[in-house]
Amino acid sequence: MAGAIPFFLPVIALVVSLIGFSSTTYPVVSSSASICVIGAGVGGSSLAYFLKTYSSDQNMPTLRIFEKSGVVGGRMATVKVVGDTFEAGASIIHPKNMHAVRFAQLLNLKRKTRVDDDASSIGIWDGRKFLFKTISLPPNSRFGKIISFLNSFLVLKRYGWPLFLMQRFVERTVNCFLKYYQHFESRPVFETVEEMLKWANLHSLTQRSLQEQLAEAGLSQRLISELVTVITRINYGQDVSISALAGTVSLAGSDSGLWSVEGGNWKLADGLINHSNASLNLHEEIISVSRSGSIYVLDSTKGSSYICQVVVIATPLDELNIDFSPPISVPQRKLQHTYTTFVRGLLNPAYFGLNSGTEIPDLVGTIEDSSLPFSCIGVQKTYNEDDKAYKVFSRSALPEDLLDQIFSTRKETIQLNWAAYPHFEAPEVFAPFVLDGFHLYYINAFENAASTIETSSVAAENVARLILTRLASGSPSNVNHLWMPASEYGQHVDL
């Protein structure tokens, strides 16, 4: 959802080394199955891709994807501000998010990388003053590397050796996550999120807070309450009471080299759906899912009914109004709403107690304080010294009079309310991947562990394997012995 911070120390990034894709196919159902997917975001589109990849031409399931809106992408969405397009939802991808990297390569999508990280500056605001600021530099300056070195020194001077403890902790977590990319011989198909997390030694991080985990790792309170808190507020709209795994994912997403898809990350979903040859029903919301024996019937707002052998929920159930028969039961959770405000104009230096706009950092992050009206303000594009595009994250809508205080000029303002990600809170409790013991699946069950483009793809890959294996077995249990590995799949690609 949020943009990441171009920090000047190499905080290690999450999710590395993706297995290579091959044309090898795997044991599936003896005849094609009808699979209906609710949601055309990254989860649903990734699922469609993996189902196609893992199926033979003869046994390729018939895929139909339902999307209640008129566009694909889900929480990967864009907005236009005075003619320029900006990411409004899931906005950044790390260079080592290899599912996304592979998807972009496969679909011939152009990657838009940040070219001004060295020129960007950050500041930590407590509502009265900046606790910390780095040095900014005009873009394309030949002194970029020098300024970057000085900024690294400033960060190290303020937060000290605990920075390296934080990096070490994130690296250990990354190494655990790498297990999800191992060869099939050593990677089971998981029926529950708990099994998936425990197998990778990650489950314990969902049962305690990031604050507890980092304090035990030896991080200073200053580092946790300032730098770490800024990161979690930007990326997940929450403080360090967030569960430790989600918090670590947030920390890992603050490295350099971030990228997005030219024209919008939603193009990943669009391309994957087209690649999978799935039928796409836009502007069609599913209002009921009924099972009778081995068949599911889906009713939509258009008055249509669809018969499916398999149904996959690829969108959060928390704010959906689908009637399930027989009823299903999932743990109660709430979504964290993030208000994203785009402003074309100029920040008011007086609001920050400064004399000039040039003193305001490119990214203003905030500490955890209920009186602070926003989580962060970041420059998206600079047109000239008096005209910039900004993106503001907040936990509630920003009233017009407050925006007039924060900005000295506003040419255009667009505000969006996103049900962005789960409200993470340890100990996390997870819904199952299989909701009814038959063939009703839920990709977003994994989202309580961490919510990113990449983790959604990882969960979708497991659900695709789970569907095909359970269909092939004709039985809802004992799935793992049926999944035969292919010799060519699972070889790591050095990217």
Side-chain angles (χ1 to χ4, degrees):
M1 177 71 187
I5 307 172
F7 285 121
F8 304 96
L9 289 177
V11 180
I12 194 70
L14 182 67
V15 188
V16 298
S17 190
L18 175 63
I19 41 183
F21 293 92
S22 75
S23 60
T24 308
T25 57
Y26 310 93
V28 293
V29 290
S30 58
S31 60
S32 62
S34 174
I35 299 180
C36 295
V37 182
I38 301 174
V42 64
S45 58
S46 296
L47 175 85
Y49 168 80
F50 287 118
L51 286 172
K52 175 180 171 62
T53 300
Y54 295 160
S55 302
S56 66
D57 292 338
Q58 295 77 20
N59 294 325
M60 174 63 191
T62 300
L63 296 174
R64 184 180 295 274
I65 300 176
F66 298 92
E67 173 55 51
K68 66 180 181 180
S69 72
V71 294
V72 302
R75 286 168 285 177
M76 298 185 298
T78 57
V79 64
K80 281 195 173 182
V81 181
V82 194
D84 284 311
T85 300
F86 301 104
E87 296 286 352
S91 57
I92 55 96
I93 304 170
H94 194 275
K96 293 181 180 178
N97 284 171
M98 293 306 174
H99 278 310
V101 168
R102 172 58 181 169
F103 294 158
Q105 292 175 338
L106 174 74
L107 302 171
N108 294 315
L109 297 176
K110 185 176 180 182
R111 292 165 56 177
K112 181 174 65 176
T113 58
R114 295 173 180 261
V115 297
D116 59 348
D117 281 358
D118 288 338
S120 298
S121 57
I122 63 169
I124 300 177
W125 171 252
D126 70 356
R128 298 171 297 278
K129 63 182 181 302
F130 282 99
L131 302 175
F132 175 73
K133 287 200 302 181
T134 62
I135 305 169
S136 61
L137 185 74
N140 304 317
S141 171
R142 60 179 178 174
F143 299 108
K145 290 186 177 180
I146 296 174
I147 295 300
S148 178
F149 174 81
L150 290 175
N151 283 329
S152 295
F153 174 77
L154 290 175
V155 174
L156 184 61
K157 180 181 178 182
R158 182 164 185 84
Y159 300 109
W161 61 270
L163 283 166
F164 300 104
L165 296 178
M166 182 175 73
Q167 179 175 343
R168 187 183 308 166
F169 166 68
V170 176
E171 286 176 342
R172 286 199 299 267
T173 306
V174 168
N175 289 335
C176 292
F177 201 92
L178 290 179
K179 294 187 69 176
Y180 295 133
Y181 302 125
Q182 288 181 1
H183 294 250
F184 283 158
E185 298 95 303
S186 56
R187 183 160 58 95
V189 182
F190 304 100
E191 290 193 288
T192 69
V193 178
E194 288 87 349
E195 290 174 357
M196 192 169 177
L197 293 170
K198 289 177 181 178
W199 180 80
N201 296 319
L202 293 172
H203 184 262
S204 63
L205 294 179
T206 67
Q207 303 303 295
R208 62 190 318 204
S209 72
L210 181 63
Q211 168 77 49
E212 294 171 322
Q213 190 70 41
L214 295 183
E216 184 179 286
L219 272 67
S220 66
Q221 186 55 41
R222 169 182 278 186
L223 176 57
I224 295 172
S225 63
E226 292 184 9
L227 194 58
V228 174
T229 296
V230 165
I231 297 172
T232 59
R233 282 171 61 86
I234 290 176
N235 288 327
Y236 282 134
Q238 297 162 241
D239 63 13
V240 290
S241 63
I242 193 172
S243 56
L245 181 56
T248 306
V249 170
S250 183
L251 292 173
S254 299
D255 204 1
S256 60
L258 304 172
W259 62 280
S260 59
V261 174
E262 188 74 46
N265 290 333
W266 65 270
K267 290 187 174 183
L268 290 172
D270 184 62
L272 291 174
I273 291 171
N274 290 331
H275 179 80
S276 67
N277 297 319
S279 298
L280 178 62
N281 291 36
L282 295 176
H283 293 295
E284 188 158 13
E285 183 177 0
I286 299 301
I287 57 177
S288 70
V289 176
S290 303
R291 178 175 58 82
S292 178
S294 60
I295 295 299
Y296 294 88
V297 178
L298 275 61
D299 295 323
S300 79
T301 50
K302 291 187 174 182
S304 301
S305 295
Y306 301 87
I307 296 176
C308 314
Q309 186 177 350
V310 174
V311 176
V312 182
I313 310 297
T315 185
L317 281 170
D318 313 276
E319 297 183 2
L320 290 184
N321 293 313
I322 299 179
D323 180 36
F324 290 95
S325 179
I328 62 170
S329 179
V330 296
Q332 189 175 26
R333 73 176 186 185
K334 63 179 180 179
L335 295 179
Q336 180 77 29
H337 280 247
T338 289
Y339 289 78
T340 306
T341 305
F342 290 89
V343 175
R344 176 79 180 267
L346 196 66
L347 283 172
N348 178 14
Y351 180 84
F352 299 97
L354 302 174
N355 297 318
S356 169
T358 59
E359 299 178 66
I360 304 174
D362 300 302
L363 177 64
V364 179
T366 55
I367 63 171
E368 185 61 28
D369 187 327
S370 59
S371 67
L372 292 172
F374 59 86
S375 299
C376 68
I377 300 176
V379 175
Q380 300 298 292
K381 185 174 181 178
T382 299
Y383 301 95
N384 56 59
E385 290 184 358
D386 300 318
D387 187 10
K388 299 180 181 182
Y390 299 88
K391 180 159 64 172
V392 187
F393 289 145
S394 60
R395 293 175 182 168
S396 59
L398 298 176
E400 290 292 317
D401 59 345
L402 176 60
L403 288 170
D404 286 337
Q405 297 175 41
I406 297 174
F407 292 89
S408 57
T409 60
R410 285 192 292 142
K411 297 181 180 179
E412 184 175 7
T413 302
I414 299 174
Q415 191 158 165
L416 305 171
N417 176 10
W418 287 101
Y421 19 68
H423 181 85
F424 298 104
E425 188 173 3
E428 296 285 1
V429 180
F430 301 94
F433 283 130
V434 185
L435 292 174
D436 64 350
F438 291 88
H439 289 293
L440 178 61
Y441 299 87
Y442 187 30
I443 292 175
N444 295 71
F446 193 82
E447 198 172 18
N448 258 45
S451 179
T452 67
I453 291 174
E454 188 72 7
T455 53
S456 293
S457 299
V458 168
E461 193 262 357
N462 177 72
V463 171
R465 294 176 66 204
L466 182 59
I467 291 170
L468 295 177
T469 307
R470 294 174 84 244
L471 285 174
S473 72
S475 170
S477 60
N478 298 321
V479 299
N480 286 312
H481 74 282
L482 294 166
W483 190 265
M484 303 301 292
S487 59
E488 294 181 20
Y489 196 95
Q491 296 176 1
H492 292 263
V493 177
D494 184 5
L495 295 178

